[in-house]
Amino acid sequence: MPEEEKGANSHLELATELTIAWLANPNTRATKEEVPEFLKSMHEAVASLSSDASADAEPSAAAPEHVPAVSVRKSLASKDHIISMIDGKPYKTLRRHLSTHNLTPEEYRERYGLKADYPMVAPSYSEHRREMAKRIGLGRKPGQKAPPRKAGGRRKAAPAAT
């Protein structure tokens, strides 16, 4: 039996098994006219998936080359923001921006050949968050007192005299 014929039979068998499983589901309501059409669509889907898999097995010459919008040095030039290498726009933090492009920080670093310690947050924003966390008492061990407030800090309003 030729190789292509074996593949076609295995596709048909798989499509048949999927159709039987679909019909065995008690929530499926199908007429006898719908079954052949469903079997045909399952066979086409399985065949297209196997042709996609064989195309993927070949070396992918179509892998897109990602050209950074700015240089690494320019992306980190300001302490107030980090410039994205995807679109060249400034951001205080890159995490949400990367998620809109379906990337993790690790994938972003890998895509543009960045070191593992490439920051995802602008230095000034990081410092601002650090100061805020210290002010509310994060990072203290239990039982430690909060550091004294600066003279120009916020004060509680004095109770109104009656």
Side-chain angles (χ1 to χ4, degrees), residues 81-122:
H81 58 264
I82 294 179
I83 298 177
S84 168
M85 295 182 138
I86 297 171
D87 60 7
K89 294 180 182 177
Y91 297 94
K92 288 185 178 184
T93 178
L94 289 177
R95 286 194 190 272
R96 184 174 293 156
H97 170 63
L98 294 179
S99 68
T100 62
H101 293 279
N102 297 322
L103 289 171
T104 64
E106 292 77 25
E107 292 169 340
Y108 177 75
R109 289 179 179 120
E110 183 181 324
R111 177 186 278 191
Y112 294 108
L114 304 170
K115 293 182 180 178
D117 63 347
Y118 182 86
M120 292 288 126
V121 179

mmCIF file of all heavy atoms in Angstrom, residues 81-122:
data_model
loop_
_atom_site.group_PDB
_atom_site.id
_atom_site.type_symbol
_atom_site.label_atom_id
_atom_site.label_comp_id
_atom_site.label_asym_id
_atom_site.label_seq_id
_atom_site.Cartn_x
_atom_site.Cartn_y
_atom_site.Cartn_z
ATOM 1 N N HIS A 81 11.685 56.093 31.962
ATOM 2 C CA HIS A 81 10.941 55.124 31.157
ATOM 3 C C HIS A 81 11.897 54.182 30.435
ATOM 4 O O HIS A 81 13.087 54.469 30.312
ATOM 5 C CB HIS A 81 10.032 55.827 30.145
ATOM 6 C CG HIS A 81 10.772 56.733 29.214
ATOM 7 N ND1 HIS A 81 10.885 58.077 29.435
ATOM 8 C CD2 HIS A 81 11.476 56.497 28.075
ATOM 9 C CE1 HIS A 81 11.600 58.633 28.472
ATOM 10 N NE2 HIS A 81 11.982 57.687 27.629
ATOM 11 N N ILE A 82 11.348 53.076 29.973
ATOM 12 C CA ILE A 82 12.075 52.128 29.130
ATOM 13 C C ILE A 82 11.390 52.160 27.772
ATOM 14 O O ILE A 82 10.160 52.079 27.688
ATOM 15 C CB ILE A 82 12.022 50.703 29.715
ATOM 16 C CG1 ILE A 82 12.768 50.653 31.029
ATOM 17 C CG2 ILE A 82 12.599 49.703 28.737
ATOM 18 C CD1 ILE A 82 12.749 49.300 31.700
ATOM 19 N N ILE A 83 12.172 52.271 26.727
ATOM 20 C CA ILE A 83 11.596 52.310 25.382
ATOM 21 C C ILE A 83 11.478 50.874 24.876
ATOM 22 O O ILE A 83 12.439 50.106 24.905
ATOM 23 C CB ILE A 83 12.450 53.162 24.437
ATOM 24 C CG1 ILE A 83 12.467 54.594 24.956
ATOM 25 C CG2 ILE A 83 11.905 53.111 23.022
ATOM 26 C CD1 ILE A 83 13.322 55.543 24.165
ATOM 27 N N SER A 84 10.284 50.516 24.417
ATOM 28 C CA SER A 84 10.030 49.176 23.907
ATOM 29 C C SER A 84 10.759 48.962 22.590
ATOM 30 O O SER A 84 10.757 49.830 21.722
ATOM 31 C CB SER A 84 8.528 48.983 23.684
ATOM 32 O OG SER A 84 8.293 47.825 22.940
ATOM 33 N N MET A 85 11.355 47.789 22.450
ATOM 34 C CA MET A 85 12.030 47.458 21.202
ATOM 35 C C MET A 85 11.032 46.983 20.154
ATOM 36 O O MET A 85 11.381 46.831 18.988
ATOM 37 C CB MET A 85 13.086 46.393 21.453
ATOM 38 C CG MET A 85 14.179 46.899 22.349
ATOM 39 S SD MET A 85 15.411 45.671 22.586
ATOM 40 C CE MET A 85 16.862 46.667 22.472
ATOM 41 N N ILE A 86 9.790 46.771 20.560
ATOM 42 C CA ILE A 86 8.759 46.336 19.628
ATOM 43 C C ILE A 86 8.236 47.518 18.824
ATOM 44 O O ILE A 86 8.190 47.481 17.601
ATOM 45 C CB ILE A 86 7.600 45.645 20.379
ATOM 46 C CG1 ILE A 86 8.107 44.396 21.069
ATOM 47 C CG2 ILE A 86 6.456 45.329 19.432
ATOM 48 C CD1 ILE A 86 7.111 43.758 22.006
ATOM 49 N N ASP A 87 7.833 48.588 19.530
ATOM 50 C CA ASP A 87 7.224 49.722 18.838
ATOM 51 C C ASP A 87 7.944 51.052 19.037
ATOM 52 O O ASP A 87 7.548 52.054 18.461
ATOM 53 C CB ASP A 87 5.757 49.857 19.235
ATOM 54 C CG ASP A 87 5.572 50.089 20.729
ATOM 55 O OD1 ASP A 87 6.560 50.285 21.444
ATOM 56 O OD2 ASP A 87 4.412 50.055 21.171
ATOM 57 N N GLY A 88 8.978 51.090 19.882
ATOM 58 C CA GLY A 88 9.742 52.313 20.073
ATOM 59 C C GLY A 88 9.068 53.336 20.968
ATOM 60 O O GLY A 88 9.480 54.492 21.012
ATOM 61 N N LYS A 89 8.056 52.935 21.705
ATOM 62 C CA LYS A 89 7.347 53.858 22.595
ATOM 63 C C LYS A 89 7.838 53.683 24.028
ATOM 64 O O LYS A 89 8.214 52.587 24.431
ATOM 65 C CB LYS A 89 5.841 53.603 22.534
ATOM 66 C CG LYS A 89 5.249 53.924 21.190
ATOM 67 C CD LYS A 89 3.764 53.656 21.184
ATOM 68 C CE LYS A 89 3.181 53.942 19.819
ATOM 69 N NZ LYS A 89 1.759 53.618 19.768
ATOM 70 N N PRO A 90 7.792 54.765 24.834
ATOM 71 C CA PRO A 90 8.264 54.683 26.228
ATOM 72 C C PRO A 90 7.181 54.119 27.159
ATOM 73 O O PRO A 90 5.995 54.410 27.003
ATOM 74 C CB PRO A 90 8.570 56.133 26.577
ATOM 75 C CG PRO A 90 7.669 56.941 25.694
ATOM 76 C CD PRO A 90 7.510 56.145 24.428
ATOM 77 N N TYR A 91 7.635 53.304 28.115
ATOM 78 C CA TYR A 91 6.748 52.718 29.124
ATOM 79 C C TYR A 91 7.460 52.734 30.471
ATOM 80 O O TYR A 91 8.669 52.557 30.533
ATOM 81 C CB TYR A 91 6.398 51.263 28.767
ATOM 82 C CG TYR A 91 5.640 51.126 27.480
ATOM 83 C CD1 TYR A 91 6.296 50.886 26.289
ATOM 84 C CD2 TYR A 91 4.252 51.239 27.453
ATOM 85 C CE1 TYR A 91 5.604 50.767 25.100
ATOM 86 C CE2 TYR A 91 3.557 51.120 26.271
ATOM 87 C CZ TYR A 91 4.239 50.887 25.099
ATOM 88 O OH TYR A 91 3.546 50.772 23.922
ATOM 89 N N LYS A 92 6.677 52.904 31.552
ATOM 90 C CA LYS A 92 7.255 52.792 32.888
ATOM 91 C C LYS A 92 7.533 51.337 33.218
ATOM 92 O O LYS A 92 8.495 51.019 33.887
ATOM 93 C CB LYS A 92 6.316 53.399 33.931
ATOM 94 C CG LYS A 92 6.257 54.904 33.867
ATOM 95 C CD LYS A 92 5.409 55.458 34.983
ATOM 96 C CE LYS A 92 5.404 56.968 34.916
ATOM 97 N NZ LYS A 92 4.663 57.538 36.033
ATOM 98 N N THR A 93 6.641 50.458 32.772
ATOM 99 C CA THR A 93 6.832 49.025 32.954
ATOM 100 C C THR A 93 6.434 48.324 31.661
ATOM 101 O O THR A 93 5.466 48.712 31.012
ATOM 102 C CB THR A 93 6.024 48.490 34.157
ATOM 103 O OG1 THR A 93 6.207 47.090 34.245
ATOM 104 C CG2 THR A 93 4.564 48.812 34.061
ATOM 105 N N LEU A 94 7.181 47.304 31.284
ATOM 106 C CA LEU A 94 6.935 46.638 30.003
ATOM 107 C C LEU A 94 6.004 45.434 30.099
ATOM 108 O O LEU A 94 5.569 44.918 29.083
ATOM 109 C CB LEU A 94 8.266 46.162 29.401
ATOM 110 C CG LEU A 94 9.193 47.241 28.867
ATOM 111 C CD1 LEU A 94 10.495 46.619 28.376
ATOM 112 C CD2 LEU A 94 8.539 48.009 27.739
ATOM 113 N N ARG A 95 5.704 44.961 31.285
ATOM 114 C CA ARG A 95 4.955 43.710 31.418
ATOM 115 C C ARG A 95 3.611 43.734 30.704
ATOM 116 O O ARG A 95 3.269 42.824 29.958
ATOM 117 C CB ARG A 95 4.755 43.342 32.879
ATOM 118 C CG ARG A 95 6.022 42.843 33.505
ATOM 119 C CD ARG A 95 5.732 42.180 34.832
ATOM 120 N NE ARG A 95 6.962 41.907 35.525
ATOM 121 C CZ ARG A 95 7.665 40.786 35.367
ATOM 122 N NH1 ARG A 95 7.241 39.875 34.548
ATOM 123 N NH2 ARG A 95 8.773 40.612 36.030
ATOM 124 N N ARG A 96 2.794 44.737 30.937
ATOM 125 C CA ARG A 96 1.474 44.792 30.296
ATOM 126 C C ARG A 96 1.620 44.965 28.787
ATOM 127 O O ARG A 96 0.900 44.355 28.005
ATOM 128 C CB ARG A 96 0.630 45.920 30.878
ATOM 129 C CG ARG A 96 -0.773 45.930 30.296
ATOM 130 C CD ARG A 96 -1.668 46.931 30.929
ATOM 131 N NE ARG A 96 -1.919 46.563 32.304
ATOM 132 C CZ ARG A 96 -2.271 47.419 33.242
ATOM 133 N NH1 ARG A 96 -2.414 48.686 32.962
ATOM 134 N NH2 ARG A 96 -2.493 47.017 34.471
ATOM 135 N N HIS A 97 2.581 45.791 28.381
ATOM 136 C CA HIS A 97 2.833 45.985 26.954
ATOM 137 C C HIS A 97 3.216 44.667 26.285
ATOM 138 O O HIS A 97 2.733 44.344 25.206
ATOM 139 C CB HIS A 97 3.941 47.024 26.778
ATOM 140 C CG HIS A 97 4.453 47.148 25.382
ATOM 141 N ND1 HIS A 97 3.672 47.565 24.339
ATOM 142 C CD2 HIS A 97 5.681 46.900 24.864
ATOM 143 C CE1 HIS A 97 4.394 47.573 23.230
ATOM 144 N NE2 HIS A 97 5.617 47.165 23.525
ATOM 145 N N LEU A 98 4.058 43.891 26.938
ATOM 146 C CA LEU A 98 4.468 42.606 26.373
ATOM 147 C C LEU A 98 3.303 41.638 26.307
ATOM 148 O O LEU A 98 3.186 40.866 25.356
ATOM 149 C CB LEU A 98 5.607 42.001 27.196
ATOM 150 C CG LEU A 98 6.926 42.773 27.167
ATOM 151 C CD1 LEU A 98 7.952 42.068 28.035
ATOM 152 C CD2 LEU A 98 7.436 42.948 25.763
ATOM 153 N N SER A 99 2.435 41.671 27.311
ATOM 154 C CA SER A 99 1.298 40.744 27.307
ATOM 155 C C SER A 99 0.341 41.046 26.156
ATOM 156 O O SER A 99 -0.306 40.136 25.643
ATOM 157 C CB SER A 99 0.569 40.771 28.645
ATOM 158 O OG SER A 99 -0.078 42.001 28.834
ATOM 159 N N THR A 100 0.267 42.309 25.718
ATOM 160 C CA THR A 100 -0.586 42.622 24.565
ATOM 161 C C THR A 100 -0.004 42.054 23.276
ATOM 162 O O THR A 100 -0.711 41.896 22.296
ATOM 163 C CB THR A 100 -0.797 44.140 24.400
ATOM 164 O OG1 THR A 100 0.472 44.757 24.170
ATOM 165 C CG2 THR A 100 -1.469 44.750 25.609
ATOM 166 N N HIS A 101 1.288 41.749 23.296
ATOM 167 C CA HIS A 101 1.953 41.135 22.138
ATOM 168 C C HIS A 101 2.189 39.641 22.357
ATOM 169 O O HIS A 101 2.964 39.019 21.636
ATOM 170 C CB HIS A 101 3.285 41.834 21.867
ATOM 171 C CG HIS A 101 3.121 43.246 21.409
ATOM 172 N ND1 HIS A 101 2.820 43.575 20.114
ATOM 173 C CD2 HIS A 101 3.179 44.419 22.086
ATOM 174 C CE1 HIS A 101 2.723 44.885 20.005
ATOM 175 N NE2 HIS A 101 2.936 45.420 21.184
ATOM 176 N N ASN A 102 1.516 39.075 23.363
ATOM 177 C CA ASN A 102 1.630 37.647 23.698
ATOM 178 C C ASN A 102 3.076 37.218 23.939
ATOM 179 O O ASN A 102 3.518 36.186 23.451
ATOM 180 C CB ASN A 102 0.991 36.767 22.617
ATOM 181 C CG ASN A 102 -0.481 37.016 22.491
ATOM 182 O OD1 ASN A 102 -1.163 37.226 23.487
ATOM 183 N ND2 ASN A 102 -0.981 37.002 21.281
ATOM 184 N N LEU A 103 3.799 38.036 24.689
ATOM 185 C CA LEU A 103 5.186 37.735 25.030
ATOM 186 C C LEU A 103 5.372 37.748 26.535
ATOM 187 O O LEU A 103 4.716 38.506 27.243
ATOM 188 C CB LEU A 103 6.131 38.787 24.434
ATOM 189 C CG LEU A 103 6.343 38.804 22.935
ATOM 190 C CD1 LEU A 103 7.134 40.038 22.530
ATOM 191 C CD2 LEU A 103 7.068 37.556 22.492
ATOM 192 N N THR A 104 6.258 36.918 27.020
ATOM 193 C CA THR A 104 6.697 36.987 28.410
ATOM 194 C C THR A 104 7.996 37.778 28.417
ATOM 195 O O THR A 104 8.637 37.939 27.362
ATOM 196 C CB THR A 104 6.946 35.581 28.983
ATOM 197 O OG1 THR A 104 8.031 34.984 28.268
ATOM 198 C CG2 THR A 104 5.704 34.713 28.894
ATOM 199 N N PRO A 105 8.427 38.282 29.565
ATOM 200 C CA PRO A 105 9.715 38.976 29.607
ATOM 201 C C PRO A 105 10.864 38.111 29.085
ATOM 202 O O PRO A 105 11.751 38.612 28.388
ATOM 203 C CB PRO A 105 9.884 39.303 31.091
ATOM 204 C CG PRO A 105 8.494 39.452 31.594
ATOM 205 C CD PRO A 105 7.712 38.410 30.840
ATOM 206 N N GLU A 106 10.833 36.809 29.389
ATOM 207 C CA GLU A 106 11.898 35.920 28.920
ATOM 208 C C GLU A 106 11.887 35.825 27.388
ATOM 209 O O GLU A 106 12.943 35.846 26.750
ATOM 210 C CB GLU A 106 11.746 34.522 29.536
ATOM 211 C CG GLU A 106 11.996 34.476 31.027
ATOM 212 C CD GLU A 106 10.834 35.008 31.855
ATOM 213 O OE1 GLU A 106 9.661 34.992 31.388
ATOM 214 O OE2 GLU A 106 11.091 35.484 32.980
ATOM 215 N N GLU A 107 10.700 35.711 26.797
ATOM 216 C CA GLU A 107 10.598 35.630 25.344
ATOM 217 C C GLU A 107 11.053 36.934 24.688
ATOM 218 O O GLU A 107 11.703 36.924 23.644
ATOM 219 C CB GLU A 107 9.165 35.309 24.920
ATOM 220 C CG GLU A 107 8.714 33.925 25.289
ATOM 221 C CD GLU A 107 7.223 33.712 25.111
ATOM 222 O OE1 GLU A 107 6.454 34.700 25.068
ATOM 223 O OE2 GLU A 107 6.820 32.540 25.022
ATOM 224 N N TYR A 108 10.712 38.064 25.315
ATOM 225 C CA TYR A 108 11.131 39.381 24.816
ATOM 226 C C TYR A 108 12.653 39.488 24.828
ATOM 227 O O TYR A 108 13.267 39.903 23.845
ATOM 228 C CB TYR A 108 10.501 40.455 25.699
ATOM 229 C CG TYR A 108 10.875 41.881 25.368
ATOM 230 C CD1 TYR A 108 10.338 42.535 24.265
ATOM 231 C CD2 TYR A 108 11.747 42.598 26.188
ATOM 232 C CE1 TYR A 108 10.652 43.857 23.986
ATOM 233 C CE2 TYR A 108 12.069 43.911 25.923
ATOM 234 C CZ TYR A 108 11.523 44.533 24.818
ATOM 235 O OH TYR A 108 11.842 45.833 24.544
ATOM 236 N N ARG A 109 13.250 39.088 25.947
ATOM 237 C CA ARG A 109 14.710 39.133 26.046
ATOM 238 C C ARG A 109 15.356 38.221 25.008
ATOM 239 O O ARG A 109 16.358 38.577 24.389
ATOM 240 C CB ARG A 109 15.149 38.727 27.454
ATOM 241 C CG ARG A 109 14.816 39.763 28.511
ATOM 242 C CD ARG A 109 15.246 39.296 29.893
ATOM 243 N NE ARG A 109 14.950 40.287 30.898
ATOM 244 C CZ ARG A 109 14.153 40.077 31.943
ATOM 245 N NH1 ARG A 109 13.602 38.894 32.122
ATOM 246 N NH2 ARG A 109 13.939 41.034 32.817
ATOM 247 N N GLU A 110 14.781 37.045 24.824
ATOM 248 C CA GLU A 110 15.322 36.099 23.855
ATOM 249 C C GLU A 110 15.165 36.621 22.426
ATOM 250 O O GLU A 110 16.079 36.505 21.606
ATOM 251 C CB GLU A 110 14.615 34.754 23.997
ATOM 252 C CG GLU A 110 15.154 33.676 23.098
ATOM 253 C CD GLU A 110 14.408 32.376 23.265
ATOM 254 O OE1 GLU A 110 14.007 32.044 24.398
ATOM 255 O OE2 GLU A 110 14.215 31.692 22.242
ATOM 256 N N ARG A 111 14.017 37.208 22.123
ATOM 257 C CA ARG A 111 13.737 37.699 20.777
ATOM 258 C C ARG A 111 14.751 38.747 20.332
ATOM 259 O O ARG A 111 15.194 38.763 19.185
ATOM 260 C CB ARG A 111 12.335 38.311 20.721
ATOM 261 C CG ARG A 111 11.996 38.919 19.367
ATOM 262 C CD ARG A 111 10.689 39.628 19.369
ATOM 263 N NE ARG A 111 9.597 38.683 19.203
ATOM 264 C CZ ARG A 111 8.344 39.044 18.965
ATOM 265 N NH1 ARG A 111 8.022 40.320 18.905
ATOM 266 N NH2 ARG A 111 7.409 38.151 18.821
ATOM 267 N N TYR A 112 15.136 39.630 21.266
ATOM 268 C CA TYR A 112 16.032 40.720 20.916
ATOM 269 C C TYR A 112 17.460 40.503 21.421
ATOM 270 O O TYR A 112 18.281 41.415 21.367
ATOM 271 C CB TYR A 112 15.469 42.047 21.422
ATOM 272 C CG TYR A 112 14.190 42.395 20.699
ATOM 273 C CD1 TYR A 112 12.964 42.307 21.346
ATOM 274 C CD2 TYR A 112 14.203 42.761 19.358
ATOM 275 C CE1 TYR A 112 11.790 42.598 20.672
ATOM 276 C CE2 TYR A 112 13.037 43.045 18.685
ATOM 277 C CZ TYR A 112 11.836 42.965 19.345
ATOM 278 O OH TYR A 112 10.677 43.243 18.667
ATOM 279 N N GLY A 113 17.765 39.319 21.917
ATOM 280 C CA GLY A 113 19.120 38.996 22.348
ATOM 281 C C GLY A 113 19.580 39.810 23.543
ATOM 282 O O GLY A 113 20.744 40.221 23.608
ATOM 283 N N LEU A 114 18.689 40.035 24.496
ATOM 284 C CA LEU A 114 19.011 40.827 25.682
ATOM 285 C C LEU A 114 19.509 39.919 26.802
ATOM 286 O O LEU A 114 19.183 38.739 26.848
ATOM 287 C CB LEU A 114 17.766 41.595 26.148
ATOM 288 C CG LEU A 114 17.129 42.491 25.088
ATOM 289 C CD1 LEU A 114 15.784 43.001 25.568
ATOM 290 C CD2 LEU A 114 18.046 43.642 24.742
ATOM 291 N N LYS A 115 20.260 40.501 27.719
ATOM 292 C CA LYS A 115 20.767 39.732 28.858
ATOM 293 C C LYS A 115 19.613 39.422 29.808
ATOM 294 O O LYS A 115 18.579 40.092 29.800
ATOM 295 C CB LYS A 115 21.836 40.518 29.600
ATOM 296 C CG LYS A 115 23.092 40.711 28.779
ATOM 297 C CD LYS A 115 24.133 41.457 29.575
ATOM 298 C CE LYS A 115 25.395 41.640 28.751
ATOM 299 N NZ LYS A 115 26.405 42.404 29.483
ATOM 300 N N ALA A 116 19.813 38.430 30.661
ATOM 301 C CA ALA A 116 18.763 38.001 31.595
ATOM 302 C C ALA A 116 18.420 39.076 32.616
ATOM 303 O O ALA A 116 17.331 39.076 33.186
ATOM 304 C CB ALA A 116 19.182 36.726 32.303
ATOM 305 N N ASP A 117 19.341 40.017 32.867
ATOM 306 C CA ASP A 117 19.072 41.065 33.854
ATOM 307 C C ASP A 117 18.553 42.360 33.221
ATOM 308 O O ASP A 117 18.485 43.392 33.884
ATOM 309 C CB ASP A 117 20.316 41.341 34.696
ATOM 310 C CG ASP A 117 21.481 41.874 33.866
ATOM 311 O OD1 ASP A 117 21.417 41.810 32.624
ATOM 312 O OD2 ASP A 117 22.460 42.352 34.480
ATOM 313 N N TYR A 118 18.144 42.315 31.944
ATOM 314 C CA TYR A 118 17.561 43.493 31.298
ATOM 315 C C TYR A 118 16.291 43.872 32.055
ATOM 316 O O TYR A 118 15.408 43.036 32.268
ATOM 317 C CB TYR A 118 17.238 43.187 29.825
ATOM 318 C CG TYR A 118 16.686 44.367 29.066
ATOM 319 C CD1 TYR A 118 17.529 45.279 28.469
ATOM 320 C CD2 TYR A 118 15.317 44.548 28.951
ATOM 321 C CE1 TYR A 118 17.026 46.357 27.761
ATOM 322 C CE2 TYR A 118 14.802 45.621 28.253
ATOM 323 C CZ TYR A 118 15.667 46.524 27.659
ATOM 324 O OH TYR A 118 15.154 47.597 26.969
ATOM 325 N N PRO A 119 16.166 45.124 32.504
ATOM 326 C CA PRO A 119 15.024 45.511 33.348
ATOM 327 C C PRO A 119 13.708 45.579 32.585
ATOM 328 O O PRO A 119 13.680 45.872 31.391
ATOM 329 C CB PRO A 119 15.422 46.896 33.862
ATOM 330 C CG PRO A 119 16.355 47.426 32.829
ATOM 331 C CD PRO A 119 17.082 46.232 32.265
ATOM 332 N N MET A 120 12.631 45.302 33.287
ATOM 333 C CA MET A 120 11.293 45.423 32.730
ATOM 334 C C MET A 120 10.572 46.635 33.301
ATOM 335 O O MET A 120 9.448 46.933 32.903
ATOM 336 C CB MET A 120 10.470 44.172 33.034
ATOM 337 C CG MET A 120 10.944 42.938 32.317
ATOM 338 S SD MET A 120 10.583 43.007 30.569
ATOM 339 C CE MET A 120 12.191 42.726 29.889
ATOM 340 N N VAL A 121 11.207 47.335 34.256
ATOM 341 C CA VAL A 121 10.605 48.484 34.928
ATOM 342 C C VAL A 121 11.611 49.632 34.913
ATOM 343 O O VAL A 121 12.809 49.416 35.135
ATOM 344 C CB VAL A 121 10.232 48.127 36.383
ATOM 345 C CG1 VAL A 121 9.631 49.317 37.107
ATOM 346 C CG2 VAL A 121 9.275 46.962 36.420
ATOM 347 N N ALA A 122 11.123 50.852 34.661
ATOM 348 C CA ALA A 122 11.988 52.029 34.657
ATOM 349 C C ALA A 122 12.549 52.262 36.060
ATOM 350 O O ALA A 122 11.843 52.064 37.061
ATOM 351 C CB ALA A 122 11.205 53.247 34.198
#
